[in-house]
């Protein structure tokens, strides 16, 4: 390969030329002076020559330094410029690569967004839910494709304005309800959710669940409403069927209960008559050798009949009371109640039963209570059921405790019994109709499974709440009623 020629710096070239010219000038000036001057002046001529050589060399050195400095500065600037150009080229290549990557990401993102949009449309079609937007300033509504399907329209048709939307797609009453919610959402920036009946383009009717949310600008003013509309026509049809079935069930229970009430009352009366007749016939029955045994068997049978009849009458009465509570046809008579005397009297009626079962009773009452008003008959039914329930499930030698306290403007009645616990998964079910905790009736009394469900509804009807707790100390039923009777009504 050919060798690159040796590059001589410019400063060297310039100084070299200058030295050559200087040397030639000194040489020729010395020769000229030697002819023009006397020999005695040769010494001065030589001195002048030395001086000239000094000036030439000094000037050459100065010139070399100046030229070399400028050249060095220019070289450094050139190097820097070259580096800057290289960096610029690198930056341009990086920008080109980034631009290519960005274009690729835009394409990929566009595909992803299109896929998500297609999936959203598919999901809306499957779920029968559409999205919408209401531009308040332009009074314009924007619908997704599924909204058109819900209202029986085609996407090629134009969305109506707000007034036309209310007038054409809703019955007057539901259109007014929706307008009130929209107006409140705009004025108070509150979201809303409402069931509405709609009128489709073909004149048929349906139902939607409409949800709306206000969108605020930087001045906290509502500029848009966005939301969804869910087609709930099928769900409404099921609800109507369930309501009809529930109504039929209530009517059936009511009819059967009324039909059973009179025969049971007659059976109860007949049992009482037979019981009185048995007492008159006792002398005849005891005349034989086994007369006493016959008497005991007869009295036992009559006791079983009377007990079973009472349970059936209780079941019928509970069914009728539940039906009246569901229909809100219970008459409430509010009157002042002396709670301390009322609790003491009811608790006293259970003392004999508690003693026979070897249970123990404690009643804790405050020295005085503020005035309390409610329906004494309903409260008596509630307290009696709780005491009956405690006696039924408390083992022998265990404690039944009644406690009355005041708590945050409420009267709280607590009935507890020890020696028994309720599993946590059973606590929520204990107030269900006809539900009884398995293998928990120590005294085998049976029951309808309606007592707790009934008193829970009665307490709620009075504006109170009922809950149950269970721990190592036993089971605790707590009734919480407002002191102010108006709060419960």
């Amino acid at each position: 390969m050919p060798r690159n020629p040796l590059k001589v710096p410019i400063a060297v070239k310039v100084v070299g030329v200058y030295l050559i010219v200087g040397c030639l000038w000194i040489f020729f000036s010395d020769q000229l002076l030697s002819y023009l001057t006397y020999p005695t002046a040769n010494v001065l001529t030589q001195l002048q020559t030395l001086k000239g050589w000094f000036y030439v060399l000094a000037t050459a050195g100065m010139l070399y330094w100046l030229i070399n400095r400028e050249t060095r500065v220019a070289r450094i600037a050139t190097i820097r410029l070259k580096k800057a150009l290289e960096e610029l080229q690198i930056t341009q290549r990086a920008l080109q690569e980034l631009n290519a990557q960005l274009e690729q990401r835009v394409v990929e993102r566009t595909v992803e967004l299109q896929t998500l949009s297609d999936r959203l449309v598919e999901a809306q079609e499957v779920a029968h839910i559409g999205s919408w937007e209401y531009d308040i300033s332009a009074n314009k509504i924007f619908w997704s494709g599924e909204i058109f399907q819900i209202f029986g329209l085609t996407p090629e048709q134009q969305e109506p304005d707000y007034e036309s939307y209310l007038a054409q797609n809703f019955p007057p009453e539901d259109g007014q309800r929706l307008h009130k919610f929209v107006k409140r959402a705009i004025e108070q920036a509150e979201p809303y959710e409402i069931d509405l009946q709609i009128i489709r383009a073909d004149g048929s009717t349906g139902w939607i669940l409409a949800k709306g949310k206000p969108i605020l600008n930087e001045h906290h003013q509502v500029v848009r409403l966005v939301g969804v509309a869910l087609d709930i026509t099928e769900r409404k049809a099921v609800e109507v069927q369930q309501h009809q079935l529930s109504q039929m069930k209530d009517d059936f229970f009511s009819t059967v209960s009324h039909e059973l009430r009179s025969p049971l009352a007659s059976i109860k009366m007949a049992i009482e008559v037979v019981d009185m007749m048995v007492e008159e016939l006792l002398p005849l029955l005891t005349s034989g050798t086994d007369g006493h045994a016959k008497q005991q068997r007869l009295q036992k049978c009559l006791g079983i009949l009377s007990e079973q009849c009472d349970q059936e009458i209780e079941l019928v009465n509970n069914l009728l009371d539940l039906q009246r509570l569901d229909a809100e046809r219970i008459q409430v008579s509010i009157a002042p109640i002396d709670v301390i005397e009322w609790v003491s009297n009811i608790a006293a009626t259970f003392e004999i039963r508690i003693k026979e079962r070897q249970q123990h009773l404690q009643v804790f009452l405050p020295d005085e209570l503020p005035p309390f008003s409610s329906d004494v008959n309903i409260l008596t039914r509630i307290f009696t059921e709780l005491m009956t329930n405690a006696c039924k499930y408390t083992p022998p030698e265990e404690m039944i405790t009644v406690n009355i306290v005041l708590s945050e403007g409420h009267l709280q009645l607590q009935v507890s019994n020890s020696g028994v616990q309720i599993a946590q998964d059973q606590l929520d079910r204990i107030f269900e109709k006809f539900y009884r905790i398995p293998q928990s009736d120590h005294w085998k009394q049976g029951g309808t499974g309606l007592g707790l469900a009934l008193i829970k509804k009665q307490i709620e009807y009075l504006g109170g709440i009922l809950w149950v707790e269970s721990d190592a100390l036993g089971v605790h039923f707590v009734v919480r009623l407002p002191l102010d009777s108006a709060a419960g009504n």
Side-chain angles (χ1 to χ4, degrees):
M1 294 180 61
R3 295 181 180 180
N4 294 329
L6 183 62
K7 294 183 178 181
V8 181
I10 296 176
V12 176
K13 293 179 180 180
V14 173
V15 172
V17 173
Y18 176 76
L19 288 174
I20 292 172
V21 173
C23 291
L24 291 175
W25 177 75
I26 293 173
F27 176 76
F28 286 109
S29 64
D30 289 343
Q31 294 297 323
L32 183 60
L33 286 173
S34 64
Y35 287 106
L36 296 179
T37 60
Y38 294 100
T40 57
N42 287 339
V43 176
L44 295 174
T45 301
Q46 292 176 359
L47 292 174
Q48 188 68 27
T49 299
L50 291 174
K51 184 178 180 181
W53 278 109
F54 176 77
Y55 282 135
V56 168
L57 292 175
T59 305
M62 184 69 69
L63 184 62
Y64 176 80
W65 181 79
L66 291 173
I67 294 175
N68 190 54
R69 187 186 68 173
E70 296 298 329
T71 303
R72 185 169 62 252
V73 172
R75 186 167 58 253
I76 293 173
T78 302
I79 293 173
R80 290 178 178 176
L81 179 60
K82 185 178 179 180
K83 290 183 177 179
L85 290 175
E86 291 176 353
E87 292 176 357
L88 180 60
Q89 291 176 353
I90 294 173
T91 303
Q92 287 179 345
R93 287 195 296 270
L95 287 175
Q96 290 175 354
E97 293 176 359
L98 289 175
N99 188 37
Q101 293 177 2
L102 181 60
E103 290 178 354
Q104 181 65 25
R105 290 181 63 183
V106 169
V107 172
E108 294 175 354
R109 189 60 177 168
T110 302
V111 174
E112 291 177 1
L113 291 176
Q114 184 61 42
T115 303
L116 290 175
S117 178
D118 295 340
R119 290 180 179 176
L120 178 61
V121 171
E122 293 174 357
Q124 288 184 347
E125 291 177 354
V126 172
H128 298 291
I129 183 172
S131 56
W132 56 266
E133 179 180 342
Y134 174 38
D135 189 338
I136 299 173
S137 59
N139 193 28
K140 184 66 176 177
I141 300 176
F142 302 95
W143 287 350
S144 67
E146 189 61 24
I147 295 286
F148 287 92
Q149 297 294 330
I150 291 175
F151 287 99
L153 303 172
T154 59
E156 291 76 16
Q157 297 176 268
Q158 188 176 4
E159 298 95 333
D161 57 28
Y162 178 65
E163 288 76 14
S164 301
Y165 170 66
L166 292 179
Q168 297 174 4
N169 300 111
F170 298 95
E173 182 179 353
D174 283 40
Q176 293 175 4
R177 290 175 59 222
L178 177 58
H179 178 66
K180 289 180 180 179
F181 277 88
V182 171
K183 184 178 179 181
R184 186 170 63 183
I186 295 174
E187 294 177 350
Q188 304 179 13
E190 293 182 359
Y192 65 86
E193 179 177 338
I194 182 175
D195 290 356
L196 296 167
Q197 189 176 19
I198 63 172
I199 302 175
R200 300 190 181 94
D202 58 1
S204 62
T205 59
W207 287 86
I208 63 170
L209 172 63
K211 295 184 178 181
K213 178 182 178 181
I215 304 299
L216 308 180
N217 60 12
E218 63 274 9
H219 303 294
H220 301 284
Q221 297 174 336
V222 179
V223 293
R224 291 183 299 126
L225 291 178
V226 296
V228 295
L230 173 63
D231 189 345
I232 57 172
T233 303
E234 295 181 0
R235 190 183 79 184
K236 279 291 183 180
V238 173
E239 289 179 358
V240 170
Q241 292 179 356
Q242 290 178 342
H243 178 72
Q244 292 175 347
L245 290 174
S246 178
Q247 187 63 41
M248 292 174 61
K249 179 197 69 175
D250 293 340
D251 293 342
F252 171 77
F253 277 136
S254 178
T255 302
V256 171
S257 299
H258 280 94
E259 291 297 328
L260 289 175
R261 199 170 190 178
S262 296
L264 287 173
S266 300
I267 293 173
K268 180 67 175 178
M269 186 179 298
I271 293 174
E272 292 176 353
V273 171
V274 171
D275 191 25
M276 289 186 295
M277 293 176 64
V278 167
E279 292 181 358
E280 296 178 358
L281 296 174
L282 280 179
L284 299 177
L285 293 174
T286 57
S287 58
T289 56
D290 59 346
H292 183 67
K294 292 180 179 179
Q295 177 184 354
Q296 289 182 337
R297 287 198 300 270
L298 183 58
Q299 289 179 337
K300 183 178 180 180
C301 291
L302 289 175
I304 294 174
L305 287 174
S306 179
E307 182 179 348
Q308 294 297 319
C309 185
D310 290 338
Q311 288 186 2
E312 296 302 319
I313 291 175
E314 180 185 4
L315 173 61
V316 170
N317 291 332
N318 287 342
L319 287 173
L320 289 173
D321 289 341
L322 279 172
Q323 195 271 337
R324 284 193 291 265
L325 282 170
D326 290 335
E328 298 185 353
R329 291 200 298 264
I330 294 291
Q331 297 294 327
V332 177
S333 178
I334 302 297
I337 300 175
D338 186 341
V339 177
I340 296 177
E341 181 181 357
W342 170 71
V343 171
S344 301
N345 292 337
I346 296 179
T349 61
F350 286 87
E351 290 181 353
I352 297 177
R353 185 187 308 181
I354 290 173
K355 186 176 181 180
E356 290 176 350
R357 298 182 178 186
Q358 301 178 2
Q359 299 165 341
H360 305 283
L361 175 64
Q362 286 183 333
V363 180
F364 297 97
L365 298 173
D367 295 333
E368 58 180 292
L369 287 172
F372 176 72
S373 297
S374 190
D375 190 306
V376 67
N377 293 324
I378 296 179
L379 286 182
T380 300
R381 179 77 175 272
I382 294 169
F383 188 25
T384 302
E385 176 64 29
L386 292 177
M387 289 296 296
T388 302
N389 195 68
C391 291
K392 182 185 298 185
Y393 297 107
T394 301
E397 303 302 332
E398 295 294 339
M399 184 69 67
I400 299 173
T401 305
V402 178
N403 196 7
I404 299 291
V405 296
L406 292 177
S407 176
E408 299 177 355
H410 289 76
L411 180 71
Q412 189 164 296
L413 167 65
Q414 179 172 314
V415 178
S416 305
N417 57 311
S418 62
V420 66
Q421 283 185 268
I422 300 177
Q424 294 298 318
D425 58 346
Q426 303 285 335
L427 291 178
D428 292 336
R429 301 195 59 190
I430 199 170
F431 297 110
E432 294 179 4
K433 297 177 182 178
F434 303 106
Y435 181 78
R436 300 183 65 203
I437 299 176
Q439 299 179 353
S440 59
D441 189 352
H442 296 280
W443 304 100
K444 308 299 180 184
Q445 295 182 139
T448 64
L450 290 175
L452 292 177
L454 176 60
I455 66 170
K456 181 176 176 62
K457 280 186 171 293
Q458 289 175 328
I459 292 170
E460 293 173 351
Y461 201 75
L462 294 176
I465 55 175
L466 168 66
W467 72 90
V468 61
E469 301 172 354
S470 181
D471 52 31
L473 299 178
V475 179
H476 319 280
F477 285 89
V478 184
V479 179
R480 189 182 178 97
L481 294 165
L483 285 175
D484 186 2
S485 60
N489 293 290

